[in-house]
Amino acid sequence: MIFSKAQHKMRLVSFVALLATATLVAGDGLDWWKTALIYQIYPRSFKDSDGDGIGDLNGIKSKLPYLKDLGVDAIWMSPIFLSPMYDFGYDITDYRQIAPEYGTMADFEALLAEAKKIGVRVIQDYVPNHTSNESEWFVKSTKRDPQYENYYVWADGVRGADGLIGPPSNWISIFRNSAWEYSPTRGQYYLHQFLIGQPDLNYREPKVQKEMKDVVRFWLDKGVSGFRVDAINVMYEVDPKNFGGKYPDEPLSGGTDPQDYEYLKHPYTKDLDETYNVVYDWRDILDEYIEKQGEYKFMVTEAYTDLDLMMKYYGNGQRNGSIPFNFVFLGDIKNQSNAREIKLVIDKWMTFMPSGKVANWVNGNHDQSRLASRLGTDRVDIMNMLALLLPGVTCTYQGEEIAMTDGYVSWQDTKDPQACNTNDPINYWKKSRDPNRTPFHWDDSKNAGFSTGNSTWLPVADNYKTLNVAAQMNSKKSHYQFYKDVAALKKTKAVREGDLDTRTFSQSILVLTRLAPGTPGVVGIVNLSDKDETVDLSSLKLLPPQLRVAASGVDCKLETGTTVNKNSIQVSAHCAIALQSVSNCC
Ligand code: NOJ
Ligand code: MG
């Protein structure tokens, strides 16, 4: 029998669909990502299995049951690849090798197999903007090896007003100082938007595009479920061809510190239009694997940028793209934000997002001060609940489920290059990401149960004796218990598929409702004030009259299992509480 290409494709798709339904549970397989709970692991600081004070893959593997039990659908691990670790793995020597301090490829494969077995997916960090300066590609490029000559952004120096030859332009690195470094071997400057040890790849070179697509395929062939894409919006710089063969200087921003990235505006090094098509090309590769492996392949991109530019990553109408990380909770919610302000922040993303796309909610990552330190411990349950009950993907950074705070790291102990580059023993902490990368608190034993070693790569925060997983598992009420209860609600039909309604009842009461026909509705109520309040939800007409408390935050007096009437609900000061209607909605 001869099939047309279209028929063949149809058969293939239905075969894959069949396969997906046969081997994966309902709602899983092709749709898993749409409501996934993604847990970010910073491998160096999660769990050390061999006592060297550095977290590793076997450590992560040993904690998979903890993550599964918490309700996690997928883990995203910050980079685990061969690297000199100037930027702790974001400077990659070889995209296909595992860093020895984290383990071996066999360890990775064992971790992946174990994760699959228990139903946790693995998302790989993908760092396309730059490699390490120890990468073979870079070493060969400095020597003008014809295959690698244009792999990086090289330029001749230019003569400055002082008559001396200096960098090709005034561009500044995100990590301070000139973004250009001279290579005596090559006799030219190379661009590094981050560290000197992180040379930028040249995406105007087709060989680089191909090379990086092969990296995507390599990890998909291993069976990963997708990628978190690093620093996507600095991937391109302007083409000097359009500027008389030179890289143009960037305009001043009005800032005062000439070595600081913020001293300049970045029209020539950030958010360039060319970026989006590369993302859409990667999406096409991922789509090939949906058919091959019967599972949707996920891609989330990291760009700190304006909302309208952010939304372009979703696709352009003709082509699909990625999910852009939603950083509005990080940037726009403060420790004093009231209910109305928080509602507007939520609405902002939902309003800008193109219709039919999947939202996502992020409360932290390895580059940000921890949620509990940023907004206060009494807002952790609140923010976790919002991130878990809003539509779409939830991203949790390790430790948010127990309200871990930033640890103190002295100048002597400081490792983060962004802080070291300040050369300032007094003010370094303003730039340091080390406090939010201190080791995870498992229990109250030595090194918080993170490592049996005599020292750890960053000091363990001193509040670990009381603030740890074991203590919170054993206590009747804790951030952990609450997180887990709300994560379980995320799996209900109402939260997966239901309509969203957000309402403020006062400056301090925010109510989030998820309702779908034929199933109990879910309501999250937040009290941001330091006074107990009584909330009347009668104005939510479709919400059934009786509700049961499904998750009660650490500051709530109303306990799990209690039944209440919707017209009078006691919500204590700082309480985040989730309720499920006793009867089906609507
Ligand atoms: C963003 C990463 O999250 C950060 O940790 C890293 O330093 C830069 N990109 C450079 O790769
Ligand atoms: Mg180790």
Side-chain angles (χ1 to χ4, degrees):
M1 199 184 274
I2 298 167
F3 292 106
S4 72
K5 216 170 155 192
Q7 277 173 325
H8 183 72
K9 199 164 173 191
M10 286 267 295
R11 280 169 60 90
L12 198 72
V13 169
S14 46
F15 171 71
V16 168
L18 205 88
L19 203 119
T21 39
T23 55
L24 302 163
V25 288
D28 212 339
L30 302 180
D31 279 344
W32 69 270
W33 59 287
K34 292 184 180 163
T35 57
L37 168 47
I38 297 180
Y39 187 94
Q40 184 195 351
I41 292 179
Y42 195 67
R44 228 178 160 71
S45 299
F46 193 55
K47 173 71 186 168
D48 174 21
S49 72
D50 59 4
D52 66 353
I54 297 173
D56 45 50
L57 294 174
N58 285 333
I60 296 171
K61 189 173 74 182
S62 72
K63 292 298 182 186
L64 286 172
Y66 165 78
L67 297 171
K68 177 71 190 171
D69 188 53
L70 188 62
V72 167
D73 297 302
I75 52 170
W76 145 40
M77 292 180 290
S78 279
I80 52 172
F81 316 107
L82 188 66
S83 161
M85 301 285 169
Y86 296 125
D87 193 21
F88 298 103
Y90 283 96
D91 47 330
I92 298 170
T93 305
D94 185 338
Y95 291 104
R96 294 175 175 80
Q97 280 191 60
I98 303 292
E101 60 213 284
Y102 297 154
T104 62
M105 188 59 88
D107 294 335
F108 172 77
E109 284 163 359
L111 163 62
L112 185 63
E114 187 58 27
K116 283 204 169 161
K117 198 163 105 196
I118 66 169
V120 172
R121 291 179 158 87
V122 174
I123 291 168
Q124 205 65 299
D125 211 310
Y126 178 64
V127 186
N129 179 66
H130 46 268
T131 66
S132 157
N133 59 349
E134 296 186 8
S135 158
E136 196 188 327
W137 303 350
F138 184 70
V139 174
K140 290 188 169 162
S141 196
T142 59
K143 295 183 185 150
R144 294 186 193 265
D145 176 321
Q147 166 69 16
Y148 297 95
E149 189 161 3
N150 296 322
Y151 265 45
Y152 295 86
V153 182
W154 290 104
D156 291 333
V158 297
R159 200 173 293 281
D162 54 7
L164 300 173
I165 302 282
S169 70
N170 71 344
W171 297 356
I172 298 175
S173 151
I174 294 163
F175 288 158
R176 262 189 102 72
N177 305 324
S178 174
W180 296 100
E181 182 70 10
Y182 186 69
S183 159
T185 315
R186 172 143 168 162
Q188 276 191 309
Y189 287 82
Y190 66 86
L191 178 74
H192 59 92
Q193 295 236 40
F194 295 91
L195 295 177
I196 290 171
Q198 290 170 305
D200 271 49
L201 284 162
N202 173 19
Y203 279 82
R204 301 192 184 280
E205 165 60 61
K207 285 185 218 160
V208 166
Q209 297 248 5
K210 171 165 186 312
E211 194 87 70
M212 292 307 290
K213 286 179 184 161
D214 289 348
V215 172
V216 171
R217 291 202 171 88
F218 176 85
W219 289 105
L220 287 171
D221 285 335
K222 289 241 176 257
V224 303
S225 298
F227 300 92
R228 171 268 185 189
V229 182
D230 186 71
I232 190 66
N233 60 330
V234 294
M235 185 163 63
Y236 272 95
E237 299 74 34
V238 284
D239 190 342
K241 280 199 201 107
N242 301 328
F243 294 86
K246 299 244 180 297
Y247 286 105
D249 280 350
E250 290 196 317
L252 305 185
S253 70
T256 50
D257 177 354
Q259 304 310 329
D260 192 278
Y261 185 66
E262 302 304 332
Y263 188 69
L264 301 176
K265 294 182 186 167
H266 304 290
Y268 303 137
T269 55
K270 209 177 147 222
D271 299 321
L272 267 65
D273 276 347
E274 289 92 328
T275 315
Y276 304 101
N277 276 327
V278 179
V279 173
Y280 307 157
D281 288 349
W282 293 333
R283 181 65 259 165
D284 290 346
I285 300 176
L286 296 181
D287 286 348
E288 286 169 24
Y289 280 78
I290 299 179
E291 294 190 3
K292 269 193 216 162
Q293 295 182 0
E295 172 200 63
Y296 186 83
K297 300 296 181 183
F298 180 78
M299 174 166 51
V300 61
T301 40
E302 183 212 30
Y304 289 89
T305 189
D306 301 343
L307 227 42
D308 53 339
L309 296 174
M310 192 93 109
M311 296 305 166
K312 292 191 188 184
Y313 290 101
Y314 271 120
N316 64 1
Q318 277 86 53
R319 303 188 67 192
N320 282 325
S322 61
I323 293 192
F325 266 133
N326 172 1
F327 291 138
V328 296
F329 279 6
L330 297 180
D332 297 355
I333 296 187
K334 312 285 174 224
N335 60 359
Q336 293 304 320
S337 295
N338 64 34
R340 296 192 172 112
E341 286 157 350
I342 296 178
K343 175 176 159 50
L344 286 173
V345 173
I346 295 168
D347 290 350
K348 195 163 140 183
W349 186 269
M350 297 310 284
T351 309
F352 272 77
M353 186 174 73
S355 88
K357 297 295 180 190
V358 173
N360 74 99
W361 308 94
V362 178
N363 272 318
N365 59 42
H366 63 293
D367 295 329
Q368 310 292 332
S369 169
R370 285 191 175 111
L371 173 60
S373 295
R374 225 176 48 241
L375 302 185
T377 297
D378 60 8
R379 292 208 162 185
V380 168
D381 290 346
I382 291 171
M383 295 311 298
N384 278 338
M385 184 176 82
L386 294 178
L388 286 163
L389 295 186
L390 283 164
V393 176
T394 306
C395 300
T396 290
Y397 176 55
Q398 65 181 47
E400 277 167 10
E401 73 277 28
I402 56 168
M404 261 184 81
T405 50
D406 292 341
Y408 170 73
V409 183
S410 69
W411 170 245
Q412 280 73 25
D413 284 340
T414 291
K415 301 281 189 311
D416 180 12
Q418 188 169 244
C420 296
N421 273 0
T422 63
N423 252 324
D424 182 344
I426 308 295
N427 292 305
Y428 71 97
W429 59 272
K430 291 182 189 158
K431 290 279 183 182
S432 185
R433 299 169 295 177
D434 288 338
N436 41 287
R437 296 173 177 180
T438 57
F440 191 87
H441 299 180
W442 292 104
D443 54 41
D444 63 2
S445 69
K446 180 181 174 188
N447 297 326
F450 161 70
S451 171
T452 55
N454 290 332
S455 62
T456 54
W457 82 281
L458 280 178
V460 175
D462 54 13
N463 56 1
Y464 80 92
K465 288 258 176 207
T466 48
L467 201 177
N468 61 64
V469 168
Q472 295 197 17
M473 275 184 171
N474 291 333
S475 88
K476 199 169 152 272
K477 253 189 133 152
S478 64
H479 298 292
Y480 166 83
Q481 302 283 359
F482 177 70
Y483 184 99
K484 195 175 155 184
D485 289 344
V486 184
L489 280 178
K490 187 173 170 70
K491 306 263 183 291
T492 61
K493 193 168 182 229
V495 179
R496 278 195 284 113
E497 299 168 14
D499 286 350
L500 167 68
D501 180 290
T502 56
R503 283 183 203 194
T504 53
F505 285 74
S506 66
Q507 288 280 78
S508 47
I509 300 290
L510 174 65
V511 176
L512 181 162
T513 313
R514 304 297 308 277
L515 295 176
T519 195
V522 171
V523 189
I525 309 177
V526 159
N527 181 355
L528 294 153
S529 78
D530 45 19
K531 284 195 236 46
D532 294 359
E533 306 248 358
T534 303
V535 180
D536 176 1
L537 298 183
S538 327
S539 59
L540 288 160
K541 298 275 186 311
L542 294 178
L543 183 69
Q546 285 217 306
L547 307 162
R548 193 174 296 121
V549 178
S552 165
V554 294
D555 291 315
C556 308
K557 290 184 200 121
L558 215 50
E559 295 304 345
T560 307
T562 317
T563 304
V564 294
N565 287 320
K566 75 170 178 181
N567 61 2
S568 175
I569 305 172
Q570 306 300 317
V571 188
S572 330
H574 307 296
C575 161
I577 194 163
L579 306 106
Q580 197 170 19
S581 65
V582 172
S583 49
N584 288 343
C585 167
C586 351

